[in-house]
Amino acid sequence: MAVTKAVLPVAGLGTRFLPLTKAVPKELLPIVDRPCIEYVVAEAVAAGITDLVFVTARGKGAIEDYFDRSPMLEATLEAAGKGALVAEVRRVAELARVVTVRQDQMRGLGHAVLCAAPAVGNEDFVVILPDDIVDAEVPVVAQLLNVHAARGGAVVSLKNVPRERTNRYGICAGPMLTETLMRIDRMVEKPKPEDAPSTLSIVGRYVLPAAIFAILRETPPGAGGEIQLTDALARLPLAYGHVFSGQHFDTGNPVGLLEAQLHYATRHPEYGAAARALCARFAGS
Ligand code: G1P
């Protein structure tokens, strides 16, 4: 059965962007002319996802608004003869169907995913962590779904990281079946460099079976005192890791966001030339 649902945990406080995130969800910070989250939603849609489940929290309502129809705005633009803008406003609302569930306590990523259980039901689904943006010829979600279609099981995306950084990620180990495909037999959340079983880290894309929900309900708090998705994944009978191709940006911190902004700005069809000229100007200063 085709995988059509994606869960996007967006309840986080965005502490690395405070005080800005007192008023604006970090997921709506712009990369050129679109909010961060639209890049990952576009990736999901390009991979055949039709339904998004946002796991949200108080103060994050603007995210739903962004992907919703806006009849008054559309009517105002229409009356002013701004048809092109009407189309652009509608385009975003028509990307996918959206359901929102609230995570009422911040108990970790595993808990956030569990909150989506009623909206997902009994089918395989995708999890996307919106901080991780990847520019890839084949969207990473599609790369994972291809592995899933061929092999079944859970699939996570993997990236090699320097050993001194393993304590920031979920780390996977197991035999490599091909140059890019691992049959995972160990998963550890945020291991110290000396304890890490490999340097292949999970980047925020997962294909999961609905069976993960029952496991999450039984998963005790792990690293950082939080209910970890990695710990639940480690208890699934079959999981693969796919070393994805594409350029990855961690937009959860200001420098990573700036890097993504420069990447997309300098390639932008309308603003690219201006962005490259600006980069050249500031490069010497
Ligand atoms: C989460 C996951 C971790 C993964 C990371 C990817 O950690 O728990 O396994 O490697 O996302 O971005 P967080 O960044 O929420 O601490």
Side-chain angles (χ1 to χ4, degrees):
M1 211 173 80
V3 178
T4 59
K5 291 183 179 169
V7 173
L8 292 91
V10 293
L13 296 174
T15 47
R16 278 167 288 189
F17 288 101
L18 280 169
L20 190 145
T21 40
K22 282 171 72 185
V24 180
K26 66 173 175 178
E27 294 80 5
L28 294 182
L29 295 179
I31 295 178
V32 197
D33 51 356
R34 293 174 187 198
C36 284
I37 195 163
E38 191 177 330
Y39 289 76
V40 299
V41 166
E43 177 192 327
V45 170
I49 298 297
T50 55
D51 291 77
L52 307 175
V53 182
F54 289 128
V55 182
T56 172
R58 184 169 296 278
K60 295 283 189 147
I63 298 173
E64 300 160 62
D65 291 347
Y66 182 71
F67 291 101
D68 195 6
R69 287 292 294 269
S70 184
M72 272 177 45
L73 174 63
E74 288 174 29
T76 309
L77 292 171
E78 201 91 65
K82 299 190 169 161
L85 282 179
V86 175
E88 184 56 14
V89 166
R90 261 190 213 147
R91 179 191 65 75
V92 179
E94 285 166 358
L95 283 171
R97 277 188 294 266
V98 172
V99 168
T100 301
V101 297
R102 284 253 179 145
Q103 184 182 13
D104 56 0
Q105 291 170 288
M106 295 299 113
R107 292 172 60 200
L109 178 59
H111 177 251
V113 171
L114 182 55
C115 291
V120 170
N122 192 28
E123 49 190 276
D124 296 342
F125 65 104
V126 167
V127 172
I128 299 178
L129 307 186
D131 280 357
D132 287 316
I133 293 185
V134 184
D135 191 4
E137 219 165 286
V138 179
V140 181
V141 170
Q143 294 179 34
L144 298 195
L145 287 174
N146 288 340
V147 173
H148 179 72
R151 307 240 177 195
V155 190
V156 303
S157 60
L158 294 179
K159 170 186 172 173
N160 218 350
V161 295
R163 184 162 278 273
E164 64 269 20
R165 292 180 155 210
T166 57
N167 58 359
R168 302 183 186 189
Y169 305 102
I171 301 292
C172 299
M176 295 302 294
L177 305 181
T178 70
E179 213 172 296
T180 55
L181 189 67
M182 176 191 281
R183 166 79 169 83
I184 298 174
D185 57 25
R186 270 193 80 191
M187 276 186 181
V188 194
E189 181 66 15
K190 302 193 170 72
K192 290 191 212 139
E194 60 270 30
D195 299 335
S198 87
T199 53
L200 284 169
S201 82
I202 303 174
V203 169
R205 305 288 184 276
Y206 310 74
V207 183
L208 299 174
I212 197 79
F213 295 127
I215 300 174
L216 281 168
R217 277 185 202 104
E218 307 292 321
T219 301
E226 297 189 331
I227 297 173
Q228 296 292 352
L229 183 58
T230 304
D231 294 345
L233 263 160
R235 294 180 51 203
L236 284 171
L238 183 62
Y240 295 98
H242 168 68
V243 183
F244 65 91
S245 45
Q247 207 168 336
H248 168 230
F249 304 96
D250 175 4
T251 65
N253 68 82
V255 174
L257 177 63
L258 183 59
E259 188 188 358
Q261 287 165 334
L262 291 170
H263 173 86
Y264 285 103
T266 50
R267 284 158 182 76
H268 194 281
E270 190 177 344
Y271 306 124
R276 289 190 297 274
L278 285 170
C279 284
R281 191 172 117 205
F282 286 107
S285 60

